[in-house]
Amino acid sequence: MRILISADMEGATGVTWPADVTPGTEQWQRCRAMFTSDVNAAVSGFFAGGATEVLVNEAHATMRNLLLERLDERAAMITGRHKDLSMVEGLQRGDVDGVAFLGYHSGAGAEGVLAHTYLPNSVTGVWLEGEPADEGRLNSYVAAEYGAPVLLVTGDDRACIDAAAYAPDAHTVAVKQYVSRYAALCRPPGATAADISEAAEAAAAEAGRIEPEHRGPLTVEVEVDAAHLAGAAALVPGVEAVGPRRVRYTSPTAFEMIRCFKAVTTLIGNAVEADYG
Ligand SMILES: [Zn+2]
């Protein structure tokens, strides 16, 4: 049984503040240990449930946050960024029997701790096939296309509510309760690790290849907070402005959908200017 863990940081235990997830800060150094603890808890739960291989793919910012030296020695990890499938790199590296979204969070414009979609700000909403789409929903389409079910989602309670909509069969663990975008009611890593391990072990029982789902064509809309950012996004061939701050594109596959999304957000991020955005 081969499991892929896509590990994002905003939804990790104890994380509530921009500096907590900003590489180089003192707070980030501290939070890396709690993030690694969440991942190790999932790794041990999956192995207890029968996994034979667990691959961890770093999915936050520069994708160099987890402490390899503290990673469960049975797991392997893809660290660093610039990868074909970004947050869900690894799906294409052999058949995966199940995916876990660890440390996930609500999407741009929604209520949730450190809510955002790819970019920390500037994007104010994303819709996939007309449904509000957080990163979990976008990545779940890619996983389905590669024949891998989403088995486990962890994050704040809002991320778990989102998961219930896009992956109703997945187990969820709320490691913190939303108070505001920058505050949460938190539990210590020892307590959340026990819950994550238990959920991962139970989720492993549902692992197994599914028939690859080809749900395309897939239409995505992205709303931004300034008109010039929509203009930047529309530089991508096939992406059209449908309003002063909104663009739309349609992709034949989830693979192309997520890659176009990456291109769009990269160009938007590149067009953000200091102070005025
Ligand atoms: Zn994220």
Side-chain angles (χ1 to χ4, degrees), residues 8-11 59-61 87 103-106 114 116-118 135:
D8 202 357
M9 195 170 184
E10 285 89 351
H60 173 71
M87 296 181 76
Y104 270 47
H105 51 81
S106 296
L114 294 166
H116 70 286
T117 306
Y118 273 46
E135 292 161 11

Side-chain angles (χ1 to χ4, degrees), residues 11-277:
T13 294
V15 166
T16 67
W17 193 251
D20 292 349
V21 294
T22 304
T25 69
E26 197 177 316
Q27 293 94 324
W28 170 76
Q29 287 291 5
R30 171 179 160 255
C31 289
R32 297 172 78 187
M34 292 194 281
F35 182 27
T36 307
S37 165
D38 285 7
V39 169
N40 276 338
V43 171
S44 85
F46 280 122
F47 275 112
T52 53
E53 201 179 322
V54 177
L55 175 64
V56 180
N57 178 51
E58 285 227 35
H60 173 71
T62 52
M63 302 181 170
R64 301 180 57 78
N65 310 280
L66 289 167
L67 299 165
L68 179 63
E69 59 274 34
R70 290 197 210 166
L71 189 68
D72 187 307
E73 291 181 4
R74 295 167 292 179
M77 180 166 93
I78 300 172
T79 191
R81 70 174 170 188
H82 306 304
K83 299 172 286 193
D84 282 347
L85 287 178
S86 191
M87 296 181 76
V88 283
E89 178 73 18
L91 279 173
Q92 80 279 40
R93 294 166 183 264
D95 287 353
V96 171
D97 298 297
V99 182
F101 294 161
L102 248 64
Y104 270 47
H105 51 81
S106 296
E111 289 185 335
V113 178
L114 294 166
H116 70 286
T117 306
Y118 273 46
L119 300 176
N121 44 50
S122 306
V123 172
T124 53
V126 178
W127 294 263
L128 172 59
E129 292 292 281
E131 296 284 333
D134 59 345
E135 292 161 11
R137 180 177 287 270
L138 295 172
N139 290 328
S140 73
Y141 273 65
V142 184
E145 192 165 279
Y146 279 91
V150 179
L151 301 175
L152 173 67
V153 180
T154 73
D156 69 358
D157 56 327
R158 305 305 172 102
C160 294
I161 291 168
D162 292 342
Y166 67 75
D169 297 330
H171 292 246
T172 59
V173 177
V175 300
K176 55 198 172 192
Q177 303 290 316
Y178 168 79
V179 173
S180 79
R181 193 170 183 223
Y182 300 125
L185 177 60
C186 294
R187 293 186 291 143
T192 58
D195 287 358
I196 294 170
S197 282
E198 193 181 323
E201 184 174 351
E206 279 128 54
R209 299 285 297 159
I210 56 172
E211 190 63 33
E213 290 180 38
H214 300 285
R215 303 187 201 169
L218 300 168
T219 297
V220 174
E221 291 199 16
V222 180
E223 185 188 73
V224 288
D225 65 5
H228 78 288
L229 299 179
L235 290 172
V236 179
V239 176
E240 57 165 346
V242 291
R245 293 183 295 104
R246 191 183 273 250
V247 295
R248 179 192 297 153
Y249 67 89
T250 299
S251 298
T253 63
F255 174 81
E256 290 185 47
M257 177 275 291
I258 202 71
R259 288 163 64 85
C260 188
F261 190 73
K262 180 74 185 167
V264 162
T265 50
T266 298
L267 284 173
I268 291 170
N270 194 53
V272 173
E273 302 295 348
D275 301 329
Y276 282 73

